[in-house]
Amino acid sequence: MNRRKTSDVKKAISLINSSNEDMKYTTTLDINESSANTIVRNVYECFRMLGEALLAKKGIESKDHATPINELISLQIKTARPLNILDNLRRLRRNVNYYGYKSTSEDAKNAINFSKECFFILLKEVNKRVND
């Protein structure tokens, strides 16, 4: 269950800025078997923070990870790849964190490629919506 609060634009802007900085850093990491889990987690978290920023602007506090991801998926914007891939990334991260799944270099490459194709488009759209 999500909780209604007042709109928090400062929190939303902070989430957007943090997400942007973390994504810039994550895309500089060398992709290998040792870094794969970290890359998958970080890429996912950057997208999740963008979804949280939209919710903060609306005054909604989410209680799970699906809500912010669904907030991004529901945006009607054109991206190079379908945004529902974010839900696959969410499940992959959950498997890493809670079930001991070891991400592969291929998982990390896919996450980075998806972020390069979609993250900055979403960042721009979220930034616009938060600052309107």
Side-chain angles (χ1 to χ4, degrees), residues 40-78:
V40 166
R41 285 182 186 130
N42 285 6
V43 167
Y44 165 77
E45 188 63 21
C46 291
F47 281 105
R48 189 197 63 76
M49 285 192 287
L50 291 181
E52 284 289 346
L54 289 172
L55 294 172
K57 167 71 175 183
K58 291 180 177 181
I60 299 171
E61 182 181 308
S62 68
K63 297 294 183 192
D64 60 23
H65 281 227
T67 304
I69 293 301
N70 289 334
E71 192 72 17
L72 290 176
I73 291 171
S74 70
L75 293 175
Q76 299 297 313
I77 61 172
K78 185 173 173 60

Side-chain angles (χ1 to χ4, degrees), residues 101-117:
Y101 177 75
K102 176 67 179 119
S103 296
T104 64
S105 291
E106 195 62 32
D107 291 331
K109 285 177 192 171
N110 289 336
I112 292 291
N113 288 337
F114 177 73
S115 70
K116 286 180 178 179
E117 293 175 341

Side-chain angles (χ1 to χ4, degrees), residues 2-125:
N2 296 322
R3 201 173 96 176
R4 295 295 269 168
K5 297 173 60 176
T6 57
S7 178
D8 192 343
V9 175
K10 285 184 181 180
K11 177 180 177 182
I13 291 170
S14 179
L15 286 164
I16 291 168
N17 291 338
S18 179
S19 176
N20 186 30
E21 290 303 313
D22 288 352
M23 185 62 80
K24 285 179 185 176
Y25 170 73
T26 300
T27 57
T28 67
L29 297 175
D30 289 332
I31 298 173
N32 56 52
E33 295 301 315
S34 297
S35 67
N37 277 354
T38 299
I39 290 169
V40 166
R41 285 182 186 130
N42 285 6
V43 167
Y44 165 77
E45 188 63 21
C46 291
F47 281 105
R48 189 197 63 76
M49 285 192 287
L50 291 181
E52 284 289 346
L54 289 172
L55 294 172
K57 167 71 175 183
K58 291 180 177 181
I60 299 171
E61 182 181 308
S62 68
K63 297 294 183 192
D64 60 23
H65 281 227
T67 304
I69 293 301
N70 289 334
E71 192 72 17
L72 290 176
I73 291 171
S74 70
L75 293 175
Q76 299 297 313
I77 61 172
K78 185 173 173 60
T79 55
R81 294 176 64 188
L83 291 179
N84 62 359
I85 291 172
L86 288 170
D87 199 48
N88 296 341
L89 192 57
R90 179 184 66 81
R91 286 194 297 268
L92 176 60
R93 194 264 337 161
R94 189 184 78 213
N95 287 339
V96 167
N97 280 3
Y98 301 112
Y99 301 109
Y101 177 75
K102 176 67 179 119
S103 296
T104 64
S105 291
E106 195 62 32
D107 291 331
K109 285 177 192 171
N110 289 336
I112 292 291
N113 288 337
F114 177 73
S115 70
K116 286 180 178 179
E117 293 175 341
C118 299
F119 180 78
F120 294 102
I121 294 167
L122 282 169
L123 177 72
K124 183 178 177 183
E125 181 66 20

